Amino acid sequence: MKLATLDNGTRDGVLVIVSQDNQHFIKVDGTTLQNVMDDWEKHSSTLKQQYEKLNKGELDSEKQAVDVKNLLSPLPRAYEWIDGSAYINHVVLVRKARNAEPPATLKTDPLVYQGGSGKFLRPTEDIRHFSEDYGIDFESEVCVITDDVPMGTTKEEAAKHIKLILICNDVSLRNLIPKELEKGFGFLVSKPSTAFSPFAITPDELGDAWKDGRVHLPLVTVYNGNLFGNPDAGPAMFFGFNELIQHVTQTRALTAGTIIGSGTVSNEDRSKGSSCLAEKRMLEKIDSGNFVTPFMKFGDTVEIEMKDANGNSLFGKISQKVAKAEK
């Protein structure tokens, strides 16, 4: 099943069901995705029936053409946005970039932070900041949306709580991160609003590519019109989403509609490229002794997309431009 949120002038938009080929949608009686997440068991079977009818051509009189520019983030805001850093290769490289050692618990205890979730960027919205000196960077990630998850959920129990999957651009302001972390109190101003894919899909849409709480497909990033990276999101994800859920529910329950991110997708195989500029810069530093690639400038563009084995876009495309913010 494939879901999206149409901009109808309200803060949370209106839920729509999207056809498997991403071409058409039907509205869902004025409800929102958060309302559906609040009682997934009640709503999901009806939504799936409508989805199947849409794909069979039985709802042609109701369907409308998809224009991604009219879509908000699937969840325009969320009660919780928890981002992990589950790709060890990425952790090691970005820590080197700021002369920091990886944590001693790198392979035993997942890295996570809780990001701002009051307003997400739509998938085609500009990345607006006051200065290029912030060190603007994209981060291509995979994410999941959960229902209500009890405190103390084990990794074996976690899978049943993952209801939707999507991708994101978790924007980072690299030059603001070191001083913020020096305070010993985590990210805030260096982690601005995140952009999510136009569509969120149920795990069954991935078929065999969804296993062990991981998406086993390449995540493609195109930067300024050129392929920047296509690392596989599956094998290199050291902690899968099941393990991330177990970790974050040690001392709290998660509310329905919580989004959990994988962290920047990264492979040790350099031929796969990277999913952020910081990683590429660190590899340049290792090879030549110097950072070569600059961070994003006003006017730069980034596109993030994941396709199935047949070349079909699963989540639609995140397509953004960096622009100067005005006070």
Side-chain angles (χ1 to χ4, degrees):
M1 183 165 56
K2 190 168 294 196
L3 304 174
T5 293
L6 182 68
D7 184 359
N8 67 346
T10 66
R11 190 188 298 268
D12 296 309
V14 62
L15 180 66
V16 297
I17 301 171
V18 180
S19 59
Q20 193 167 39
D21 63 5
N22 303 339
Q23 298 303 304
H24 297 94
F25 72 85
I26 56 171
K27 292 182 180 179
V28 188
D29 297 330
T31 193
T32 67
L33 181 55
Q34 182 59 54
N35 287 339
V36 170
M37 300 311 304
D38 285 339
D39 197 343
W40 181 264
E41 297 306 316
K42 175 182 176 181
H43 297 290
S44 59
S45 59
T46 301
L47 292 175
K48 186 173 182 180
Q49 290 172 9
Q50 293 295 96
Y51 176 66
E52 292 172 351
K53 288 181 179 180
L54 175 62
N55 289 323
K56 292 176 181 177
E58 296 176 11
L59 300 177
D60 285 354
S61 61
E62 300 177 35
K63 72 181 185 183
Q64 300 179 50
V66 169
D67 183 346
V68 174
K69 292 180 180 179
N70 294 330
L71 298 179
L72 304 174
S73 169
L75 282 173
R77 54 180 173 164
Y79 291 112
E80 294 190 79
W81 157 228
I82 300 171
D83 197 18
S85 192
Y87 295 88
I88 286 179
N89 187 59
H90 173 75
V91 176
V92 171
L93 288 174
V94 296
R95 292 284 177 119
K96 282 184 179 179
R98 60 175 189 261
N99 297 314
E101 290 295 322
T105 57
L106 182 64
K107 294 185 178 182
T108 59
D109 204 22
L111 287 167
V112 297
Y113 81 95
Q114 190 156 9
S117 58
K119 184 183 185 301
F120 295 130
L121 300 179
R122 61 175 73 204
T124 57
E125 189 170 350
D126 287 350
I127 302 167
R128 293 189 176 274
H129 290 293
F130 295 123
S131 173
E132 293 175 344
D133 294 338
Y134 290 168
I136 305 165
D137 198 0
F138 54 84
E139 293 193 61
S140 306
E141 304 187 13
V142 180
C143 311
V144 300
I145 305 177
T146 73
D147 62 4
D148 289 302
V149 187
M151 185 170 71
T153 294
T154 66
K155 61 183 180 182
E156 291 79 16
E157 298 166 333
K160 66 184 180 183
H161 294 288
I162 296 173
K163 300 305 181 184
L164 293 169
I165 304 170
L166 62 170
I167 58 176
C168 83
N169 177 15
D170 181 45
V171 180
S172 285
L173 305 179
R174 297 293 185 186
N175 293 339
L176 303 185
I177 288 175
K179 287 188 177 299
E180 191 164 27
L181 292 185
E182 282 176 10
K183 300 175 184 178
F185 216 56
F187 299 115
L188 184 67
V189 297
S190 56
K191 298 297 291 186
S193 295
T194 300
F196 291 88
S197 54
F199 316 130
I201 67 175
T202 48
D204 60 295
E205 290 289 316
L206 291 169
D208 292 340
W210 175 249
K211 54 187 175 183
D212 302 322
R214 298 166 174 83
V215 179
H216 291 257
L217 288 169
L219 183 58
V220 178
T221 303
V222 173
Y223 182 43
N224 289 330
N226 299 307
L227 178 65
F228 189 83
N230 61 344
D232 193 316
M237 189 178 183
F238 192 83
F239 298 103
F241 285 109
N242 297 340
E243 287 79 16
L244 291 177
I245 290 172
Q246 174 177 270
H247 176 74
V248 298
T249 60
Q250 291 178 85
T251 56
R252 69 172 75 180
L254 301 179
T255 191
T258 292
I259 308 174
I260 301 175
S262 66
T264 306
V265 176
S266 179
N267 292 175
E268 289 187 18
D269 181 355
R270 290 197 186 185
S271 70
K272 300 296 185 180
S274 300
S275 296
C276 70
L277 292 169
E279 190 172 301
K280 180 176 175 63
R281 284 165 54 87
M282 192 60 233
L283 291 171
E284 293 168 345
K285 177 79 169 177
I286 291 170
D287 290 341
S288 68
N290 296 296
F291 297 121
V292 178
T293 301
F295 288 119
M296 300 182 86
K297 305 294 184 183
F298 298 140
D300 284 351
T301 61
V302 63
E303 298 176 338
I304 304 169
E305 189 173 24
M306 180 177 279
K307 297 182 179 181
D308 65 17
N310 296 317
N312 301 308
S313 182
L314 290 162
F315 307 98
K317 184 186 294 184
I318 297 170
S319 183
Q320 297 180 277
K321 181 175 70 175
V322 179
K324 186 173 178 59
E326 301 297 335
K327 290 186 179 180

